[in-house]
Amino acid sequence: MYKELEYSSIKEVQTLSDIHREVIQGMHLKNMIISGANNLENNKNIVNSLNVFPVPDGDTGTNMSLTMNSAVKEINKCEDLEVSLVADSAANGSLMGARGNSGVILSQIFRGFAKGLKNVKEIDSVALANAIMEGCNTAYKAVMKPTEGTILTVIREGAEFGLKIAKSTPNTAELLGKIIEKANETLNKTPEMLPILKQAGVVDAGGKGLIFILKGMHHYLVTKEVIQLAEVPVVEVEVETAKPVYDDDIVFGYCTEFFIKGKDLNPEEFKKKVIDIGDSIVVVGDENLIKVHIHTNNPGTVIEEALRFGYLSKIKIDNMREQHQELLLNEEERKTNEELKNYGVVAVAMGSGISRIFKDLGADEIIEGGQTMNPSTEDILKSVDRINAENIIILPNNSNIVLAANQAKSISNKNITVIPTKSIPQGISALMALDVEKSIEENEKKINKAISEVKTGLITYAVRNSNFDGVDIEEGNYLGITDGKINAVGEDMKDVIYKVMDAMIDEDASLITVYYGNDVSEEEALKLEEDIRGRYEECDIEMHYGGQPLYYYILSVE
């Protein structure tokens, strides 16, 4: 581990000027980016904890770290370490690996940064300041309605300050240190810019993640040392295999998924136990429930380790090599024989039940994702490429995936329409409104009208003590969220559910649909359905198994 440099005093930085680099060359830039990525990876849980709502789905740090890891993977392929080529590789890697809104914005910062370094052989302080400013400008352009008090404000104020002092600060390390100081000052002011941050008592998570990246880059400039990872990062890796019949990416052949149930569970501790025996690892949950996804060659070993923590449910093991060979055999035939459809649909969903509903309604591709598991731009592009249709509709079904979907649209040469669905109920309503006989313009209008008439409620639990809108929230309380706002808190789940539903139901309501999650038994769900029928007699009621983690119930009112 390293001792983080202090940024409160430029004097300390200046005393190290004898080892500062006046200019940054390609190898230095590569090491800076790796150091920044590692620093964020080491601190991503701090960023995740800055979730505005005290709910178990904070993922900004994870999304930004995975985006950075994609950038690092790409620059590690660089044989020619010219500044512009390293910057381009980082931009391309982060673009394809971008996850969540924060990851997409970060990828746009790198895109602009690379644009600012086009044809640059070595980076002096003026070039560095200009490139950071170009990164800021590109990120702002990528967001339709930029919100101040976010990562955008942090990068903008830091970049503007850098431009002002670049000519009088010829040392690149000193300049970057001062930019970080200014950016950090702005970060600390974000609660005053966004009331929702002030209510939650946190600074902007994306801005905090950016500071960790910049500090990691600056650490390399000052010390000539890349910050090392505290532990192996949880990322997908590419390793070549000697067996040509398999996909080069399939190093670990069995996709293994299950839930661990018990008491006093520790997701991070379990992750450390299995991190060396697989990849594509996702371990999320709390002290009562952990969802595990891992690609491994030893599923029995993973399961045996999991049994030391608690009892298991919903175990699913798929042989990915076998599946891939079948895909290779069928793909060419499918492409040859499949007629060009008028419409194809990509939907993002989390939970086997919800995925099945989207499939039954006609979605061609389901990307597993949502809260805590935002798909990357590349994930979305791969699904789009598998569809043989004249028009392709993407349903993100989560506000944190819309930017990545739009980024995929901008890269693809296919005719893509992104419907900005922000919830599962909106996505289902959109799919039901699709008429394959109508034009894309008619459908887009019809679908947007349909999703505007859907209200969404979520029932989950608090992961920390907090105060929101004057309401004290204690860790473990049930939380009710209606269309993105907490409107019910309590110790009795049913009371919270009814408060949410009362807020959603008005005189126009005619249909209530409930999707129950992975930690809710069928018996509990059926009992709730019976109670709802008695309470809201004027509405039709539908109950479906969703299988989603973290959220006990997803409620829809139309």
Side-chain angles (χ1 to χ4, degrees):
M1 290 296 289
Y2 74 102
K3 181 181 183 298
E4 189 170 283
L5 296 168
E6 295 292 335
Y7 292 84
S8 58
S9 173
I10 296 302
K11 185 176 180 180
E12 179 183 353
V13 176
Q14 291 173 332
T15 61
L16 297 172
S17 60
D18 59 320
I19 60 171
H20 285 178
R21 300 184 184 279
E22 293 293 336
V23 295
I24 300 167
Q25 297 175 344
M27 176 60 79
H28 310 145
L29 181 60
K30 174 182 176 180
N31 288 337
M32 286 169 66
I33 294 170
I34 294 172
S35 188
N38 289 353
N39 195 38
L40 176 60
E41 173 67 25
N42 290 343
N43 292 281
K44 67 182 180 184
N45 288 334
I46 294 175
V47 180
N48 284 339
S49 70
L50 298 175
N51 198 6
V52 170
F53 290 163
V55 295
D57 60 10
D59 52 12
T60 300
T62 300
N63 283 338
M64 293 182 75
S65 185
L66 289 171
T67 302
M68 286 298 295
N69 287 338
S70 292
V72 168
K73 186 161 61 174
E74 205 59 34
I75 63 174
N76 278 333
K77 296 176 184 177
C78 267
E79 295 181 1
D80 190 339
L81 293 179
E82 287 187 13
V83 162
S84 59
L85 294 178
V86 172
D88 283 341
S89 294
N92 292 335
S94 63
L95 184 76
M96 296 302 288
R99 298 171 188 264
N101 294 343
S102 55
V104 172
I105 292 171
L106 181 61
S107 74
Q108 291 299 316
I109 291 173
F110 271 99
R111 181 185 174 196
F113 185 76
K115 182 181 176 182
L117 294 176
K118 189 175 183 180
N119 300 322
V120 171
K121 299 297 182 184
E122 53 184 24
I123 308 170
D124 59 18
S125 60
V126 172
L128 179 61
N130 284 331
I132 294 173
M133 192 71 241
E134 189 65 48
C136 166
N137 292 337
T138 302
Y140 264 89
K141 290 175 186 175
V143 180
M144 188 172 295
K145 294 181 180 180
T147 301
E148 296 302 330
T150 66
I151 182 176
L152 292 171
T153 313
V154 174
I155 185 68
R156 177 175 56 77
E157 295 206 357
E160 289 173 348
F161 182 71
L163 280 180
K164 288 180 182 178
I165 65 170
K167 288 184 179 179
S168 61
T169 314
N171 191 292
T172 52
E174 183 183 343
L175 174 69
L176 184 56
K178 290 181 177 180
I179 289 173
I180 293 169
E181 264 194 15
K182 181 63 177 178
N184 208 34
E185 286 176 12
T186 303
L187 175 68
N188 291 330
K189 295 175 184 175
T190 55
E192 302 303 320
M193 302 178 196
L194 276 179
I196 196 168
L197 295 176
K198 192 169 186 177
Q199 286 183 29
V202 296
V203 296
D204 178 66
K208 184 70 172 179
L210 178 65
I211 295 295
F212 279 126
I213 295 167
L214 294 176
K215 283 187 176 183
M217 296 173 77
H218 183 254
H219 180 87
Y220 174 78
L221 276 184
V222 172
T223 67
K224 302 181 187 177
E225 295 178 357
V226 172
I227 292 173
Q228 298 302 304
L229 290 168
E231 60 181 44
V232 179
V234 183
V235 294
E236 294 184 7
V237 295
E238 292 183 348
V239 181
E240 291 187 355
T241 173
K243 299 179 180 179
V245 294
Y246 299 149
D247 187 337
D248 284 351
D249 288 340
I250 303 179
V251 182
F252 298 98
Y254 296 94
C255 177
T256 305
E257 296 179 280
F258 54 86
F259 288 87
I260 307 174
K261 295 184 177 181
K263 294 182 179 179
D264 300 321
L265 300 178
N266 187 325
E268 287 299 318
E269 184 181 343
F270 177 75
K271 187 195 301 181
K272 290 176 182 177
K273 296 288 186 183
V274 298
I275 202 163
D276 293 328
I277 54 176
D279 71 358
S280 298
I281 302 170
V282 176
V283 178
V284 295
D286 55 24
E287 67 273 10
N288 299 313
L289 178 72
I290 301 175
K291 176 181 171 61
V292 178
H293 171 281
I294 182 172
H295 294 173
T296 180
N297 288 327
N298 301 287
T301 303
V302 176
I303 289 171
E304 184 177 341
E305 190 61 55
L307 286 169
R308 302 178 192 276
F309 283 71
Y311 64 95
L312 310 186
S313 69
K314 302 189 188 308
I315 300 172
K316 179 185 175 188
I317 301 174
D318 292 321
N319 186 328
M320 296 188 297
R321 292 181 175 126
E322 203 172 68
Q323 290 175 336
H324 180 68
Q325 288 188 60
E326 291 176 4
L327 284 173
L328 288 177
L329 293 171
N330 296 331
E331 183 68 11
E332 207 56 47
E333 183 180 354
R334 181 189 69 77
K335 286 182 178 178
T336 302
N337 298 331
E338 186 178 66
E339 292 185 7
L340 182 69
K341 299 192 300 180
N342 194 12
Y343 286 97
V345 176
V346 176
V348 181
M350 180 172 281
S352 58
I354 289 171
S355 296
R356 187 167 55 250
I357 290 169
F358 274 105
K359 272 288 187 184
D360 290 345
L361 290 174
D364 299 89
E365 287 281 324
I366 307 296
I367 303 175
E368 184 180 358
Q371 294 302 120
T372 74
M373 287 179 63
N374 297 154
S376 68
T377 302
E378 186 173 20
D379 292 334
I380 297 170
L381 278 173
K382 284 180 177 178
S383 287
V384 166
D385 288 342
R386 285 193 288 266
I387 298 176
N388 188 24
E390 185 175 344
N391 300 291
I392 296 175
I393 291 173
I394 300 176
L395 302 174
N397 302 330
N398 187 294
S399 60
N400 208 31
I401 302 174
V402 174
L403 274 183
N406 280 318
Q407 186 151 277
K409 173 184 175 178
S410 69
I411 298 171
S412 176
N413 56 9
K414 292 192 174 184
N415 186 26
I416 296 173
T417 299
V418 177
I419 303 295
T421 49
K422 297 179 180 179
S423 68
I424 293 299
Q426 284 190 351
I428 290 172
S429 182
L431 197 49
M432 293 179 71
L434 176 64
D435 186 339
V436 296
E437 301 300 324
K438 293 186 180 296
S439 69
I440 186 62
E441 292 79 16
E442 291 174 304
N443 267 312
E444 190 170 5
K445 185 176 180 180
K446 183 183 177 192
I447 290 171
N448 282 326
K449 182 176 184 298
I451 65 176
S452 71
E453 296 172 350
V454 180
K455 296 176 183 177
T456 299
L458 303 171
I459 308 299
T460 185
Y461 59 94
V463 294
R464 67 173 187 266
N465 295 335
S466 63
N467 183 285
F468 212 85
D469 279 339
V471 177
D472 288 328
I473 299 173
E474 294 184 7
E475 182 179 343
N477 280 164
Y478 294 109
L479 298 181
I481 302 172
T482 306
D483 290 328
K485 295 183 68 176
I486 295 175
N487 71 336
V489 179
E491 297 181 2
D492 184 286
M493 186 191 293
K494 198 163 284 187
D495 285 346
V496 170
I497 291 172
Y498 288 142
K499 285 179 183 176
V500 169
M501 295 189 72
D502 287 344
M504 296 168 66
I505 291 174
D506 56 24
E507 59 184 15
D508 296 324
S510 60
L511 174 64
I512 299 171
T513 308
V514 181
Y515 306 91
Y516 65 95
N518 186 71
D519 348 346
V520 177
S521 68
E522 184 177 8
E523 182 182 358
E524 290 172 315
L526 291 175
K527 179 64 171 66
L528 178 63
E529 179 183 9
E530 182 183 340
D531 292 345
I532 291 174
R533 288 188 188 281
R535 187 180 178 99
Y536 305 103
E537 295 178 352
E538 70 280 8
C539 294
D540 293 327
I541 312 296
E542 292 185 7
M543 178 71 69
H544 299 283
Y545 171 67
Q548 70 274 4
L550 307 180
Y551 290 86
Y552 301 109
Y553 294 98
I554 298 174
L555 311 171
S556 170
V557 174
E558 301 174 66

